[in-house]
Each structure stands twice: as structure tokens, then as C-alpha cells.
């Protein structure tokens, strides 16, 4: 739909025009009046956009008008971005207040031709906008108020096993099929679970997977999400990694990546990893109907053990016929009473429904429209959480969406109704998630950076951090079931989108985003955000992007076997001047070209896992809008360019390098997240006068030469999260006995993992009064010293409210 990002763009542009810096720039360049006219037109249009969004589903002309409007709004945003770029450039090279910098630059030193050119561009886009805006009268659009921010529950609510209602009998029947199926060593029993999307096939499989009989009976339990594209090597590697994580107790480090092995090598590793012990395997969301592929995988899984069992979840009966060794278990919709219980559980806090019998009665009518599908009931219940006015419930029950023609089992109307009730700032964030593949595991840190690069996170008037606002967005969507499968990893959390939610996001953003998951794809020329999950060769990738002119996002969610080289990089730089997110993970080139600084709008640059890159041109330091930069896994990278500190908007840096000290980052005043991984020669974090005064999260991993953090810790006054893992020589957090008391008054979370030489915690730990979670894993000396009451270091940490030692929470 054409409007999927329009309100967000308009909001973003109005905010930029209203900023003090841009107002002063407009005054200095003599375009203040044009900016004011532009702001007035956009403000007027923005007031009717929410009404237009709701009416456009059944009005082709309105959709076309919104599409034209969105196109010109993108152009307005680009012009204002260039204004801001010039201001940032002056901020880097000047001294004094921002006002002096901006006015001094634009009134004297900047050439007149550039000023004239920018003034002309503003007038041109303003006149185009006025022309399109004048057509709005024919649609009779009304001014609508923005929806208030959502009230959401804490995340623990989403993951309780007690949330599963009405599937006990189904679980017992599947377990019965497992127990009664063949235990022959020459075969593998395969039990398919078949049902429509949203019925809870995956939920049922999880109940079986975690059942005490299954846990006790099988040596290995394995879970793999297969989804649409059955890539044999990908499935094999996922099986291997699942065993490493769940059976061997892996922390996530050392897992295989797709491009590390060829197919034959991965098969060999699979046989070794499986051994000759019996296993229970779940192949979740299987779509493959190619019998030969299944025979090949099944043959690889034959390890000689007796009683191996596989559960397959699928929507397709042909899949069940190909794979099943017993009759498929057909999952039906929930009985009405159970579906109502699901709805009420998500609509009210426990017991609260008894105080609102009138709402329960309306809810009963709403649940009848869910056709026994728990995902629909859960989503609509979440939508009405904390709403106690009958009109809100009646609006859902009587909404026109229910009148649209529906196929049997179609729950998209219920999901779309929930989508339309979201505040606009969440609508665009949700729609943008269609760039991720189905079943993709998202994490909060990465998603917030990606949303921020796209300009989807609205700055708060209360001066909240963008990371905090983005995390709030995620929690709001978790609470409304747009995201699910929440898992807490202490210092970050992960989650997924249900397949049907992904279908909804793809439907909404179809003219804006596309996910390339096949050979020779057809891509709309209107698309601005492109994601590649299929292993196309570089020539085919260049063909796809060569047909597009206005790309803002290029993203590779997986490390693919085919790497991108210089031709792809140069094509991106020459064609996509307004790109904001460029993901070059797993690429294959020695350095970036000097012309990289032409990407003035770039916010997100990922060069991870490039094994060849050794250096960066100093021109990369002119990417003043850049917020996220990753060099993780670039094992040959030597050091950062001399002017790296000029990246004054950089918020997240992830780096692997060969140097003994991390230099060149001391002037990164906006840096909030620093992740240092695989720096095998690193001995010092920060030296001299370097001070990361805004840093909130520091993560250090696999730095084998690092022995102490001193004196770096004195220079991190706002640090909230500190993670140190796999640093085998680290023996001290505070130096060689010197008076070293860090200013860590904001530290809330500390994770220490696999630090065999770390002998004790420093005495200043007692002063960390904000610390509320401490996690210690695989640190044998600390494990003894931190035992409750009796440990020598217990008095240093006894004030911490949550302490986990080797996976066990201290009572």
C-alpha cells in the first residue's frame, strides 16, 4: 500500500524543519520563508493522512494520490538532509556554539552558488507538494488525532507456559503417536502436524518438545525452522547449531555460519555431531514438496540409533504425505470457550474480566469472528488491553473489515484490524520488518539501529535516548502479538514475527519493501528497501538493483555463499546517492573507494565478515550522518582512519582489528554502543585523554591479549551495560593494584563469561548501587568467591538484586 511510510516521512520532515539549526540555516541562506511555507503545507496534509490511511483500502484514486504524495515527501526529506549535512560538516571543523558555527558557515564561507542551488531546490519541491496537496479536497478527508501510545505489559507475560490454552489433549495425542511409532534403527519415525496458519502448530510442537517424557527419553533434542525455501545446506547447519546450543550448552559463540562450509563438508560435520545417540527433531514450518530433497535429508539423519523421531509442522497435506511415516495429526481450531479464554487472557489482567461483564459479552461476539484461530483471538485481545470504554470494543466488533470477502481460515482481516489500531509510529516500524525473512530471529539492538537509520524512531520531547524509545516500540509490539517468541539473554533479547504477521507486513509494504528469496525475481520499480535472503550471484544482484533508481535500503540478513565485490560496491555508490542503509556483510574487497563520501545520507554501514579489508579511506570520515558502523569479523583490518572521530553522529560501533590499542574513537561524542570482538592483539581499550562520555553499552569478546580494563573504566561515566566474554588472559577489572575507582554510578548490568584468570572482583563493586543484575558464567575462581554468604567476594555483590552464577539464580 502506498501510504505505508507516508505519515512517518511527513512527521520526520516537519520535525526537521522546526529544528533550531534548520531555522537558522534557512535565515542565513534567505530561504526561511520557503521553509515556513513548506512546513505549513506538510502540517496541513499530515492532519488528514490518518483518515486517508483508513479510507484508501477501497479507493484506488486515493491510493494513487498517496503514492504521488509520498514520492515528493521523500524528495523534501532528501533536500533537508543535505542542509543538515552541511551544518554537521561545519560543526566538525569549527569551534564555539552551534549557533556561531551554523551562521558563520552559511553567511560567509559557503559559496553563493551552492546557496542559490539549495534555495531553488526547496522552492521546486515546495511547489510540487502544493500542487499535489491541492487535490486532497476531492477525497473529503477529515482531520484525525494521532492514537495515544500503547499501554503494554512487561515482557515476562508473553513467555509463560500457562499462556497455552486448550491444547492439552492435542499434546497427549501427538505424544501417543511418538510413543507408538517404530523404534527400528533402520528407519526414522516422522509425525506430521497439519493445520491452517495461526492455529498453533508451532506452539503444540513446543509443548511436545518440552514434555518431560521427550526430555528424558532422547539424548539430543533439536529444533529447526525451515520455512519457504528448503536450502539443504542451511537446514543441515541449523541442525548442527541447534545441537551445539541445546545439547552441548553453547553460548552462541562458535556456531557455524552458512559460508564456512560447502555442502559436502556440512554433511560430514552433521554425521559427527549427531553421533550414534537417539534424537528428537522438530522441523517447524515445512513447505518443501520435493520428495528427493526429503529423501536426501532423511538419509543423512540415519545415524544407526534406535528410536529417532521427527515432528514436522506444515500447512500442506502434500508435505505430510511425502514425509510422514504415520498418519498426519490434523490440528483443528480451538473450541469457542477456549478461544474466548485466550482472548480474555490477553484483553485483561488476571481476574479483571469479572469487573466488566458488558465487555466480556461484546468480546464473545468478537471471538466468534476468529473461527477458532488462537493467533487472531490473542491479537484482538491484546488490541483491547487496558481499554474499558464499550465503544472501543464495539468499534472492533462492528468494523467494516469483517465485511470484506474472506477465504476459509483467512485471519488477515483480524490482524489487519489490529494493525490499523496501532499508533502511526508503530505502523511504519512493523511494515518495514517485511525486509526480514520468515522465522528470522530478531534482536532488539540490531532492530533499533535499523529503524533509526530509516528515521522511524521519533525523538522524544523528554530527551529520551533513541535506544530506549526503540526498545519501547518493540515491547509495545510484543504486547500486541506483532512480535512473539521473546527470549531474555540478559543484556539483549530476541523475538520473531509469526508467519502470518510477516504476510501482513509484506502486504502493507508491497510498494515500498521487497524480500528477494528466489532466482530471477520481479521487483517493482517503486520499491525503496531491498533485502536478499537468496544466494544470487553478483551479476544477478546487480541486475535486480540496476532496475531501481531510488533505493534507501540494501540488506543481507544472512551471510550468503556468494560474496559481493567491488562492482557491486561501486554500483551502489554511483546509483544510490540517497541510500541510508547499506549492508555489505561477507563482501570481498580490500578497501572502500574514496567516493564513499558521496553517500551523504548514509546512516548504517555494515562491512562485517570481510576477510580481505585492511583499511578504510579517510573519506569515510565525511559520512556525518552515519549512526551504525560494523567491522565485526574483519580479521585483517588494521586500524581506523585518522579522522574517524569526525563521525559525530555515530551511535554504534562494532569492530575487529589487529592493533594493540583502540585509538581514534575518543571524539565520538554520540557513541552509545561499542562492541569489540576478536581483537586478538588488543591490550588496551582507551588510552590517554580518550573519553567516551556518552557510552551506555560496552561489549568485549574474544580479545585474548587483554589483561586489564584499567584505566578505561574511569572514562565511561554513563555506562549501563558491561559484557566481557572469552578473554582468556583477563585477570583484573581495575589494574595492577593502583588506586583506580571508576565512575560507574550508572552501571545496571554486568556479564562476565569464560574468564578463567579473573581471580577476584574489585573492591569498588560495593559502590555500584545501581547494579541490579550480575551474571557470571565459566569463571571458576569467581564462582567460588561469589557464593552466597560464604564466598570471599560476596560482600562486594550482596546488594545486587539479581545474581546468576553458571545459569543458576542466587536465591
Amino acid at each position: 500500500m502506498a501510504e505505508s511510510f507516508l505519515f512517518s516521512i511527513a512527521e520526520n520532515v516537519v520535525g526537521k524543519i522546526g529544528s533550531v539549526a534548520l531555522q537558522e540555516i534557512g535565515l542565513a541562506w534567505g530561504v526561511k520563508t520557503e521553509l515556513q511555507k513548506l512546513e505549513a503545507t506538510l502540517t496541513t496534509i499530515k492532519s488528514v493522512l490518518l483518515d486517508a490511511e483508513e479510507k484508501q483500502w477501497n479507493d484506488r484514486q486515493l491510493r494513487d494520490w498517496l503514492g504521488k504524495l509520498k514520492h515528493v515527501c521523500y524528495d523534501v526529506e532528501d533536500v533537508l538532509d543535505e542542509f543538515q549535512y552541511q551544518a554537521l560538516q561545519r560543526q566538525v571543523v569549527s569551534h564555539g556554539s552551534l549557533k556561531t558555527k551554523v551562521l558563520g558557515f552559511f553567511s560567509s564561507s559557503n559559496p553563493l552558488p551552492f546557496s542559490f542551488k539549495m534555495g531553488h531546490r526547496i522552492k521546486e519541491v515546495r511547489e510540487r507538494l502544493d500542487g499535489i496537496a491541492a487535490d486532497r479536497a476531492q477525497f473529503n478527508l477529515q482531520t484525525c488525532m494521532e492514537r495515544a501510545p500503547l499501554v503494554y505489559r512487561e515482557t515476562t507475560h508473553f513467555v509463560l507456559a500457562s499462556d497455552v490454552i486448550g491444547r492439552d489433549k492435542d499434546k497427549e495425542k501427538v505424544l501417543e503417536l511418538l510413543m507408538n511409532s517404530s523404534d527400528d534403527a533402520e528407519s526414522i519415525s516422522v509425525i506430521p502436524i497439519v493445520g491452517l496458519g495461526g492455529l498453533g502448530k508451532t506452539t503444540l510442537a513446543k509443548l511436545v518438545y518440552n514434555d518431560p517424557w521427550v526430555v528424558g527419553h532422547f539424548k539430543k533434542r533439536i529444533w529447526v525452522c525451515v520455512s519457504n525455501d528448503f536450502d539443504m545446506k542451511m537446514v543441515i547447519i541449523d541442525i548442527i547449531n541447534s545441537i551445539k546450543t541445546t545439547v552441548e550448552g553453547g553460548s552462541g559463540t562458535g556456531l557455524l555460519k552458512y559460508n564456512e562450509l560447502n555442502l559436502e563438508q556440512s554433511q560430514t560435520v552433521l554425521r559427527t555431531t549427531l553421533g550414534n545417540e537417539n534424537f528428537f527433531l522438530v522441523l517447524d514450518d515445512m513447505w518443501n514438496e520435493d520428495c528427493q530433497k526429503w529423501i536426501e535429508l532423511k538419509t543423512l539423519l540415519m545415524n544407526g540409533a534406535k528410536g529417532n523421531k521427527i515432528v514436522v509442522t506444515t500447512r500442506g497435506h502434500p508435505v505430510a504425505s511425502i514425509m510422514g511415516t504415520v498418519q498426519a495429526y490434523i490440528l483443528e481450531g480451538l473450541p469457542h470457550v477456549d478461544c474466548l479464554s485466550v482472548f480474555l487472557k490477553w484483553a485483561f489482567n488476571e481476574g479483571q474480566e469479572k469487573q466488566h461483564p458488558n465487555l466480556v459479552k461484546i468480546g464473545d461476539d468478537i471471538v466468534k469472528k476468529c473461527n477458532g484461530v488462537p493467533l487472531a483471538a490473542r491479537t484482538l485481545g491484546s488490541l483491547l488491553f487496558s481499554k474499558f470504554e464499550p465503544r472501543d470494543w464495539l468499534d472492533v466488533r462492528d468494523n467494516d473489515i469483517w465485511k470484506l470477502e474472506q477465504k476459509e481460515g483467512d485471519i488477515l482481516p483480524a490482524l489487519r484490524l489490529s494493525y490499523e489500531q496501532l499508533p502511526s509510529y508503530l505502523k511504519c516500524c512493523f511494515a518495514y520488518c517485511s525486509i526480514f525473512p520468515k522465522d528470522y530471529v530478531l534482536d532488539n539492538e540490531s532492530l533499533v539501529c535499523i529503524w533509526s537509520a530509516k528515521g522511524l524512531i521519533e525523538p522524544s520531547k523528554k530527551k529520551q535516548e533513541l535506544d530506549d524509545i526503540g526498545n519501547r516500540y518493540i515491547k509495545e509490539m510484543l504486547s500486541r502479538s506483532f512480535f512473539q517468541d521473546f527470549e531474555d539473554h540478559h543484556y539483549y533479547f530476541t523475538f520473531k514475527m509469526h508467519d502470518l504477521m510477516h504476510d501482513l507486513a509484506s502486504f502493507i509494504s508491497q510498494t515500498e519493501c521487497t524480500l528477494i528469496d528466489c532466482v530471477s525475481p520481479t521487483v517493482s520499480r517503486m520499491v525503496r528497501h531491498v533485502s536478499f535472503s537468496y544466494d544470487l550471484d553478483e551479476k544477478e544482484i546487480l541486475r535486480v538493483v540496476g532496475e531501481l533508481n531510488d533505493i534507501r535500503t540494501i540488506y543481507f540478513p544472512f551471510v550468503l555463499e556468494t560474496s559481493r565485490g567491488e562492482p557491486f560496491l561501486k554500483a551502489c555508490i554511483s546509483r544510490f546517492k540517497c541510500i541510508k542503509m547499506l549492508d555489505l556483510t561477507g563482501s570481498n574487497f580490500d578497501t572502500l573507494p574514496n567516493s564513499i563520501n558521496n553517500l551523504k545520507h548514509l546512516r548504517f554501514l555494515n562491512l562485517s565478515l570481510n576477510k580481505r579489508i585492511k583499511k578504510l579511506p579517510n573519506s569515510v570520515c565525511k559520512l556525518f550522518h552515519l549512526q551504525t558502523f560494523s567491522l565485526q569479523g574483519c580479521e585483517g583490518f588494521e586500524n581506523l582512519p585518522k579522522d574517524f572521530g569526525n563521525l559525530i553522529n555515530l551511535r554504534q560501533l562494532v569492530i575487529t582489528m589487529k592493533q594493540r590499542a583502540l585509538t581514534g574513537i575518543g571524539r565520538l561524542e554520540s557513541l552509545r554502543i561499542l562492541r569489540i570482538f576478536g581483537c586478538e592483539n588488543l591490550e588496551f581499550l582507551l588510552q590517554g585523554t580518550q573519553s567516551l562520555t556518552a557510552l551506555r553499552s560496552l561489549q568485549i569478546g574474544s580479545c585474548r591479549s587483554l589483561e586489564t580494563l584499567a584505566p578505561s573504566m574511569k572514562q565511561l561515566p554513563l555506562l549501563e551495560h558491561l559484557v566481557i566474554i572469552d578473554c582468556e588472559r583477563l585477570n583484573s577489572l581495575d589494574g595492577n593494584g593502583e588506586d583506580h575507582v571508576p565512575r560507574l554510578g550508572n552501571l545496571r548490568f554486568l556479564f562476565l563469561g569464560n574468564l578463567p584468570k579473573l581471580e577476584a572482583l574489585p573492591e569498588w563493586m560495593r559502590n555500584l548501587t545501581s547494579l541490579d543484575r550480575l551474571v557470571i558464567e565459566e569463571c571458576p575462581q569467581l564462582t567460588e568467591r561469589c557464593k552466597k554468604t560464604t564466598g570471599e567476594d560476596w560482600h562486594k555483590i550482596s546488594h545486587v538484586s539479581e545474581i546468576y552464577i553458571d545459569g543458576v539464580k542466587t536465591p
Side-chain angles (χ1 to χ4, degrees), residues 178 188-192 279-283 294 298 301 308-312 323:
L178 281 172
I188 301 176
S189 297
V190 182
I191 296 90
F279 63 80
F280 175 73
L281 168 62
V282 175
L283 295 173
W294 165 236
K298 187 176 180 180
L301 295 171
N308 291 332
K309 314 282 184 181
I310 299 177
V311 165
V312 176
M323 299 182 67

Side-chain angles (χ1 to χ4, degrees), residues 656-676:
T656 300
M657 61 185 298
K658 297 172 69 173
Q659 297 300 309
R660 293 175 62 241
L662 185 58
T663 57
I665 65 171
R667 289 194 296 130
L668 297 176
E669 297 177 357
S670 297
L671 196 66
R672 301 300 195 271
I673 300 172
L674 175 59
R675 301 168 68 185
I676 306 166

